[in-house]
Amino acid sequence: MAFEGLADRLQNTMAKIRGKGKVSEADVKEMMREVRLALLEADVNFKVVKDFIKRVSERAVGQEVMKSLTPGQQVIKVVKEELTDLMGGEQSKIAVSNKPPTVIMMVGLQGAGKTTTSGKLANLLRKKYNRKPLLVAADIYRPAAIKQLETLGKQLDMPVFALGDQVSPVEIATKALEFAKAEHHDYVLIDTAGRLHIDETLMDELEKVKEISKPDEIFLVVDAMTGQDAVNVAKSFNEQLGLTGVVLTKLDGDTRGGAALSIRSVTQTPIKFVGLGEKLDALEAFHPERMASRILGMGDVLTLIEKAQTNVDAEKAKELEQKMRTASFTFDDFLEQLGQVRNMGPLEDLLGMLPGANKMKGLKNVQVDEKQISHVEAIIKSMTKAEKQNPEIMNASRKKRIAKGSGTSVQEVNRLLKQFEDMKKMMKQMTSMTKGKKKGIKFPFM
Ligand SMILES: Nc1nc2c(ncn2[C@@H]2O[C@H](COP(=O)(O)OP(=O)(O)OP(=O)(O)O)[C@@H](O)[C@H]2O)c(=O)[nH]1
């Protein structure tokens, strides 16, 4: 998971102060030293770190904390709020032009994931917002770029406007806009050329495309794994072209997170979306508060539920949510939801969204290899009804029978039982954290 190191360190630091009935300035200082190191190690821009520490320190020794009955928790609340602010505060929404189509120019360096992201964004606009996007292939330099976009279009069953690589990007953009109007497309996504480095020729061309297409949004696609480089690239693009948003890709990798935490502050440009995988549905709107919550181990159940709502039918999503809340989840549900949950993304990522999941020792055991899922299905299908409802009755001979019936081994059966138990424990923990709050899902310090 991205941010793992940062999340671990911050959570450890927070754990030390959480329960304190009294917080002295020395405590705050000590904590800030650790937070500072954690951020620097995560490759957050040093100036951003300095400002952040200053703001948190000032607030942490202020009245709001010192006079409170739960100062430890107040400090954590301050850290969370400042972390949220650092990443842009409010979620930044995508523009809607009152004179359709809304035009989005996608820019970025080669390999950042620009073409893939254009496809993902078109997919999201259609799936989540019911829009009718048009993809435009305006990268005439990289030989395979047009073809790549056309292939994406086919996969998505979505039209791609292309005029080959002998027509200038400006002309492609002009014709694409005419086409979009005639065909009543309400979004136009222009996939522009990337370069290995920022150069004048590229910028000139992008400016011309900008002039002619008058985009409502100019999204820079940057690779989160490149850390500070991503921040520098964003800075230059913003200065020369004026960006309206950044899409941070490859946040599924083991990025340390520095780019996500520095970009907004350094460039004053909000992160609008994050890429979380190679698949065409692996793009999410960026919510600073939820991200802060995830980093601090408070979970991100809202995203989890939204994922369920987009990928699972509404009835089922409600059921799943209810079962997770009451922790009355049986193997039958597990099997039924398995397919649906898989649609939502890698299970490991989903579990990462549960509060406290990072700290659960069992989490490492819960990692499910996609290839093992068919084994899991076979094992559950070999259980009797009673076993599925009450796994506690499972003894050695039952396990042997199940292993044989599913063509697996007793170890595998044991592993599944353990994973299931861990998962239930986690759900229980989640429930106890939400207890007593009637409206919506709230967690401590939120
Ligand atoms: N893991 C992961 N891979 C991604 C993500 N976004 C894009 N990629 C991969 O990154 C690689 C480069 O993506 P492209 O879309 O081809 O790159 P590009 O920026 O369009 O390149 P140019 O068209 O030359 O500018 C591809 O293999 C993508 O599958 C992401 O969010 N996560």
Side-chain angles (χ1 to χ4, degrees):
M1 188 190 108
F3 299 114
E4 201 157 7
L6 176 65
D8 272 354
R9 292 193 61 158
L10 286 182
Q11 284 169 41
N12 285 337
T13 307
M14 298 301 137
K16 280 189 218 156
I17 209 157
R18 174 169 294 133
K20 289 209 170 192
K22 246 191 184 158
V23 175
S24 67
E25 277 194 40
D27 289 334
V28 171
K29 231 181 177 167
E30 163 75 22
M31 184 184 100
M32 283 302 123
R33 199 167 52 228
E34 286 175 28
V35 172
R36 186 171 160 273
L37 276 175
L39 292 172
L40 286 174
E41 219 158 80
D43 201 24
V44 180
N45 175 290
F46 85 94
K47 191 170 174 307
V48 172
V49 174
K50 202 173 151 205
D51 292 348
F52 179 82
I53 296 294
K54 189 163 166 259
R55 278 196 309 275
V56 176
S57 301
E58 272 169 17
R59 284 184 62 188
V61 297
Q63 301 251 333
E64 78 182 300
V65 169
M66 296 303 177
K67 288 247 166 97
S68 109
L69 291 173
T70 50
Q73 295 189 5
Q74 284 301 316
V75 175
I76 297 173
K77 183 167 170 268
V78 168
V79 172
K80 192 190 159 201
E81 283 171 8
E82 292 295 337
L83 208 51
T84 304
D85 256 18
L86 190 63
M87 291 185 282
E90 292 277 294
Q91 183 210 357
S92 171
K93 298 229 163 74
I94 196 162
V96 187
S97 167
N98 47 20
K99 272 197 289 167
T102 305
V103 178
I104 303 175
M105 228 175 117
M106 306 292 290
V107 302
L109 295 184
Q110 242 169 47
K114 182 162 34 60
T115 305
T116 313
T117 303
S118 303
K120 286 180 181 175
L121 186 55
N123 187 32
L124 189 76
L125 282 167
R126 180 176 63 186
K127 200 166 164 185
K128 194 157 179 209
Y129 302 99
N130 252 330
R131 300 290 179 171
K132 193 186 164 199
L134 176 69
L135 286 162
V136 180
D139 179 358
I140 59 170
Y141 305 105
R142 184 166 67 98
I146 299 179
K147 191 106 204 101
Q148 190 188 349
L149 197 66
E150 283 174 333
T151 308
L152 285 176
K154 273 206 194 93
Q155 276 172 319
L156 292 167
D157 192 20
M158 196 173 281
V160 173
F161 187 90
L163 295 175
D165 58 7
Q166 300 300 312
V167 180
S168 78
V170 169
E171 197 175 337
I172 295 174
T174 314
K175 295 261 165 64
L177 286 177
E178 286 166 13
F179 179 85
K181 272 180 206 144
E183 298 288 319
H184 304 291
H185 285 283
D186 46 14
Y187 273 84
V188 174
L189 276 68
I190 308 176
D191 182 28
T192 65
R195 290 286 150 87
L196 286 174
H197 305 283
I198 295 171
D199 63 42
E200 233 170 86
T201 331
L202 169 70
M203 284 301 167
D204 279 353
E205 181 179 300
L206 293 178
E207 257 164 41
K208 281 187 200 137
V209 174
K210 176 182 173 183
E211 210 170 289
I212 191 82
S213 61
K214 306 209 168 40
D216 302 280
E217 299 269 23
I218 303 180
F219 286 166
L220 173 73
V221 179
V222 284
D223 180 342
M225 307 280 282
T226 61
Q228 290 305 303
D229 274 346
V231 180
N232 293 332
V233 168
K235 203 164 169 231
S236 317
F237 266 93
N238 189 41
E239 278 160 13
Q240 300 194 41
L241 205 63
L243 300 172
T244 63
V246 170
V247 182
L248 209 52
T249 63
K250 307 185 198 180
L251 219 59
D252 51 313
D254 52 1
T255 160
R256 287 179 289 164
L261 292 167
S262 320
I263 276 191
R264 165 68 198 232
S265 191
V266 173
T267 67
Q268 292 305 313
T269 311
I271 298 173
K272 293 226 178 172
F273 294 93
V274 287
L276 297 162
E278 302 208 32
K279 292 213 189 108
L280 286 173
D281 55 4
L283 185 78
E284 276 176 23
F286 182 72
H287 298 271
E289 199 217 321
R290 297 185 195 180
M291 187 54 86
S293 182
R294 245 191 255 188
I295 292 173
L296 294 176
M298 297 166 190
D300 181 4
V301 176
L302 286 176
T303 299
L304 193 60
I305 288 168
E306 272 180 16
K307 268 176 176 284
Q309 281 166 347
T310 327
N311 295 292
V312 179
D313 72 72
E315 249 346 84
K316 299 257 183 208
K318 230 184 236 155
E319 232 172 79
L320 175 67
E321 188 198 327
Q322 187 60 29
K323 291 209 155 127
M324 284 185 136
R325 280 209 226 192
T326 53
S328 66
F329 201 74
T330 68
F331 266 116
D332 268 326
D333 303 314
F334 190 70
L335 191 60
E336 196 194 304
Q337 306 288 1
L338 202 53
Q340 308 229 26
V341 172
R342 275 167 80 191
N343 286 341
M344 292 160 47
L347 210 46
E348 205 185 316
D349 291 357
L350 299 183
L351 290 172
M353 293 180 194
L354 295 179
N358 244 30
K359 278 212 271 338
M360 296 278 307
K361 289 224 171 55
L363 186 65
K364 298 275 184 280
N365 292 327
V366 186
Q367 288 189 0
V368 176
D369 176 353
E370 302 286 324
K371 270 181 251 143
Q372 285 178 9
I373 288 186
S374 52
H375 281 199
V376 167
E377 278 170 351
I379 292 173
I380 300 176
K381 280 181 186 152
S382 298
M383 293 179 187
T384 65
K385 201 167 171 201
E387 286 162 353
K388 278 189 253 184
Q389 309 263 333
N390 295 304
E392 306 82 63
I393 64 171
M394 214 72 78
N395 56 21
S397 77
R398 284 178 189 264
K399 287 178 191 169
K400 224 186 235 162
R401 194 205 74 242
I402 292 169
K404 210 162 162 220
S406 57
T408 60
S409 62
V410 171
Q411 281 106 304
E412 275 186 273
V413 175
N414 274 331
R415 189 158 57 217
L416 176 64
L417 289 170
K418 172 87 172 57
Q419 286 170 343
F420 189 72
E421 207 179 292
D422 284 342
M423 204 159 129
K424 284 192 79 157
K425 252 190 243 154
M426 225 173 328
M427 289 173 188
K428 231 181 237 152
Q429 199 188 36
M430 182 174 126
T431 320
S432 65
M433 287 176 101
T434 59
K435 229 180 348 207
K437 304 266 164 82
K438 288 211 181 67
K439 262 193 229 142
I441 297 176
K442 290 252 182 217
F443 296 107
F445 336 119
M446 281 178 75

